Amino acid sequence: MIKNDEIDLEVSNLSISFNKTKIIDDISFNLGNGEILSLIGPSGSGKTTLIRCLSGLDSPEIGNITISNVKVFDENTNVAVENRDVGIVFQDFALFPHMTVEENISFGIKKNNNPEKKTSSIVELLLLCGIYNLRNRYPDELSGGEQQRVALARSLATSPKLLLMDEPFSNLDAIFRSQLRIDVKRILKYLKITCIFVTHDQQEALYMGDRIIVLNEGKIQQIDKNINVFQKPQNEFVANFIGLADFIEGKIADNYAQTEIGTVEINSNVSNGDLVEILVRPDDVSIKKNKSGNGFIISKEYKGMYYIYHIKLNSGKMVKSLSSHINDYDVGIKVDVQLSPGHPLVCYKNKLIV
């Protein structure tokens, strides 16, 4: 629970429609000081629209937005973008091509006419973002990753109360993206910047966020710590959207569920005899070659350090199994399939966690 004096952003009952279609539908959440909140959901779920409403680029139909104890939107208030004390980093960088790196970063400070912002703060940002040696270059002389570092530094230069990052790494190659996310999280935590980080990448959301919002059709499906979103998804949509998921039928006996691939301890509020669906991740399932096994491999994905095997059980049910790269099994062979999660699993009824 976040204390009131530790909240940098509070959103309540926010809604907006386009062409009579609800894009954001009665959303409420808050964000603590220095917290990074990952915002994830399928295309069209409302992620970018929510960011635009928070920044002031779009106006909701109804709701309340408070940033650092200042009301910026309600039925009587709609503070302009430039007065919301919000920094924004987009995926297209949006740097001024005729300005050097240092000029791009200092532009916001000059525009807002903050005389207390000294050259030393610009130098600190250049060093912190790893672009000091690039300070006299122009955007077209920089790589995509370098341009995004400049865009981040420019947004941080005005010391915003809230930073909004809308899929900032989506235009970058995988290797640069991986390194940049590490550096950006380090910078945000060092400066204690409160941030909403929008992404369509599940692993990125899990890494960047202290908490995660999973959005679908304009509604929050779950807001929770990243570990809970992955291990205890509140419904089957979240389970399928965050990571790989399969569901197998089970019958409850004491604190265990009996399934066709073994008995497993469960962590849910259920009663003896209940029939439930058990959430199973690929790392919960082990396989071993056996001509009289209870399933067979129908396909496999080579991931470098491991394989993901797609297995059809004798019952016809499909499950996935993660196995070390040293276990190179052929497609079509029979295997023993067993549950071996090493921790209790969660159960669902009517697509909701119990």
Side-chain angles (χ1 to χ4, degrees), residues 142-255:
L142 306 177
S143 69
E146 291 167 341
Q147 290 185 54
Q148 195 57 285
R149 290 173 187 270
V150 177
L152 174 63
R154 184 179 64 182
S155 294
L156 295 175
T158 57
S159 301
K161 298 296 184 183
L162 175 67
L163 181 66
L164 306 174
M165 305 188 74
D166 190 5
E167 303 204 33
F169 308 150
S170 61
N171 291 333
L172 305 179
D173 293 337
I175 188 169
F176 294 113
R177 182 174 185 148
S178 177
Q179 183 58 51
L180 192 55
R181 73 173 62 141
I182 294 171
D183 292 342
V184 167
K185 184 170 184 179
R186 170 182 56 82
I187 292 167
L188 295 178
K189 287 301 182 182
Y190 174 78
L191 296 175
K192 299 180 180 179
I193 297 292
T194 305
C195 175
I196 295 182
F197 187 93
V198 179
T199 180
H200 62 269
D201 186 307
Q202 301 166 7
Q203 296 304 313
E204 196 163 84
L206 289 167
Y207 174 76
M208 291 297 297
D210 300 307
R211 288 188 297 156
I212 295 176
I213 284 181
V214 182
L215 201 63
N216 187 41
E217 296 181 346
K219 288 183 175 291
I220 293 177
Q221 301 297 309
Q222 185 169 353
I223 177 169
D224 210 333
K225 293 180 180 179
N226 52 9
I227 190 170
N228 289 337
V229 170
F230 184 80
Q231 293 187 356
K232 298 179 180 179
Q234 292 301 300
N235 55 50
E236 289 191 12
F237 173 84
V238 177
N240 282 301
F241 193 77
I242 302 292
L244 299 174
D246 292 302
F247 293 88
I248 60 174
E249 293 180 355
K251 185 175 182 179
I252 302 301
D254 296 326
N255 292 320

Side-chain angles (χ1 to χ4, degrees), residues 283-302:
D283 56 306
D284 298 327
V285 179
S286 61
I287 59 174
K288 184 184 296 184
K289 189 187 303 185
N290 186 339
K291 291 181 179 179
S292 58
N294 58 349
F296 65 95
I297 298 171
I298 63 169
S299 65
K300 65 180 182 181
E301 302 174 56
Y302 178 59

Side-chain angles (χ1 to χ4, degrees), residues 97-156:
H98 62 290
M99 293 184 181
T100 65
V101 166
E102 188 167 348
E103 290 168 343
N104 263 281
I105 294 171
S106 62
F107 178 79
I109 296 175
K110 294 176 182 176
K111 183 178 180 181
N112 289 331
N113 196 26
N114 293 331
E116 72 276 12
K117 294 296 182 181
K118 304 296 183 181
T119 301
S120 60
S121 66
I122 301 299
V123 171
E124 181 184 10
L125 280 171
L126 287 165
L127 291 169
L128 191 61
C129 294
I131 50 176
Y132 181 79
N133 62 321
L134 307 174
R135 63 191 183 281
N136 295 319
R137 295 189 187 180
Y138 290 89
D140 64 358
E141 299 175 302
L142 306 177
S143 69
E146 291 167 341
Q147 290 185 54
Q148 195 57 285
R149 290 173 187 270
V150 177
L152 174 63
R154 184 179 64 182
S155 294
L156 295 175

